Amino acid sequence: MSLRIGIIKGDGIGPEIVTEAIKVLNKTGEIFDFSCDFKQLLLGGASIDVHGVPLTEETIAAAKQCEAVLMGSIGGDAKTSPWYQLEPSKRPEAGLLGIRKALNLFANLRPAILYEELKGACPLKEEITQGGFDLMIMRELTGGLYFGRRETKEIDGLLTAIDELTYNEDEIRRIAKRGFDIARKRRKKVTSVDKANVLDSSRLWRKIVEEVAEEYPDVTLEHMLVDNCAMQLVKDPKQFDVILTENMFGDILSDEASMVTGSIGMLASASLNETKFGLYEPSGGSAPDIAGKGIANPIATILSAAMMLRFSFDRDQEADAVERAVSQTLRDGYRTIDIMSEGKIQVGTKEMGDLICERIHK
Ligand code: IPM
Ligand code: MG
């Protein structure tokens, strides 16, 4: 049985971290008796270098032939990279937004977990984090401000920029359902985040989320305004299970949530459509400053591969085995530089991948 997996190595540390995740998938396949058929795809800066554009029809078509895509990271240093001399619609990030839209990846899952072994890296006070926290941001990914009409023009003699924020009820309903489905498998609580005291789009969001909630009487729903949520994430992150929110709010809150875990190099993410297909990537960026040095943390990408096994291939046992191997490696004291602390053993990207592979078993 062969899993058809697209690989976007991407930019910056992308190629290094993806290489380790591929190793982990191959090793998991040896143990659980499956093989992977990897297909390399170009996106972002790597695509600009070859084709002059960040996303081609060829990449979209090839991705559609795959059952899932594993991605490293996209983008470079905006100050020094020639990619950022191009107009915004031709830069690496436009490729990422383009593939999200083309593949209809409307549901973005971003877990933020405080790892027991890495508690020391968490910037919050110990009394706040005691007992750990484990929340999931469910971000709508193909609507809202990101995909609205935008233009800059002169109005009444003044240069004026317009970005439109649109959501229709179907877009809200489908992401809300995903949020409730996930909550059902977790601690059964959804916090829907909006700005309903100001925005019409948020008032519609709230109305539709409430309708969907009626189909999930076993799941508790609460609403929270986005500014309050930003505050609550540092005040009491334990209160959250699933945070359900629109595109822009989710972008901002997910960076905040990952920071409070203290270990962004550990966090995976998945972007899903209506089918089993998903695009899986680490939550962190391309970190061009450390690219090619062999020191980047590959764990977020490896955990993204585990999410892929779980969501796109229904291979829970295999995903569990990868996650266990990661935890065991941390318990054994191995750390990449970003999560290093006193008394631990510092290793590079490749070594970390090898150590995790050694610990995968049934
Ligand atoms: C993310 C990133 C992207 C986004 C950028 C690179 C366009 O910040 O995946 O969160 O804003 O969605
Ligand atoms: Mg972001």
Side-chain angles (χ1 to χ4, degrees), residues 67-277:
E67 293 169 280
V69 172
L70 182 67
M71 187 173 106
S73 47
I74 295 297
D77 184 338
K79 284 204 193 88
T80 56
S81 163
W83 301 329
Y84 295 90
Q85 304 298 317
L86 302 165
E87 61 175 275
S89 67
K90 300 219 165 79
R91 293 179 193 164
E93 288 73 9
L96 183 57
L97 299 184
I99 201 165
R100 286 174 181 168
K101 195 69 174 178
L103 301 176
N104 199 21
L105 304 172
F106 66 88
N108 182 215
L109 280 70
R110 299 191 166 184
I113 300 165
L114 183 70
Y115 284 87
E116 189 54 38
E117 296 86 357
L118 303 177
K119 259 166 100 176
C122 172
L124 301 179
K125 287 197 199 114
E126 212 181 316
E127 63 242 43
I128 295 176
T129 59
Q130 220 155 38
F133 58 85
D134 173 357
L135 61 95
M136 175 74 87
I137 296 192
M138 173 64 87
R139 167 186 176 194
E140 200 291 327
L141 203 60
T142 51
L145 274 174
Y146 276 68
F147 293 95
R149 194 174 58 88
R150 68 180 96 255
E151 65 176 322
T152 305
K153 62 180 176 190
E154 219 170 90
I155 300 181
D156 297 335
L158 293 175
L159 209 47
T160 306
I162 304 166
D163 293 287
E164 265 179 15
L165 167 47
T166 308
Y167 269 108
N168 68 41
E169 57 179 306
D170 287 352
E171 290 172 314
I172 300 170
R173 197 169 287 114
R174 66 181 182 177
I175 186 74
K177 282 188 173 158
R178 280 296 175 92
F180 281 91
D181 284 340
I182 292 277
R184 217 170 223 174
K185 293 189 183 160
R186 296 172 46 99
R187 299 192 307 280
K188 299 190 169 48
K189 181 178 170 190
V190 169
T191 304
S192 174
V193 173
D194 61 36
K195 190 69 185 172
N197 53 349
V198 178
L199 303 176
D200 256 24
S201 55
S202 283
R203 286 188 273 269
L204 181 63
W205 181 276
R206 216 173 252 223
K207 175 174 181 293
I208 303 299
V209 169
E210 276 175 7
E211 279 174 28
V212 171
E214 282 173 21
E215 297 161 36
Y216 297 82
D218 51 323
V219 178
T220 308
L221 168 66
E222 66 173 18
H223 299 284
M224 194 178 276
L225 296 173
V226 61
D227 47 350
N228 184 30
C229 182
M231 179 182 81
Q232 296 295 333
L233 271 171
V234 288
K235 191 171 165 224
D236 179 20
K238 273 203 283 280
Q239 69 183 288
F240 296 110
D241 179 16
V242 174
I243 291 179
L244 169 66
T245 193
E246 63 92 61
N247 206 346
M248 180 61 120
F249 297 159
D251 178 45
I252 298 167
L253 294 176
S254 61
D255 265 28
E256 185 188 2
S258 66
M259 183 61 214
V260 300
T261 69
S263 38
I264 188 159
M266 302 286 300
L267 302 177
S269 82
S271 305
L272 310 173
N273 61 21
E274 302 275 11
T275 71
K276 282 271 161 202
F277 180 91

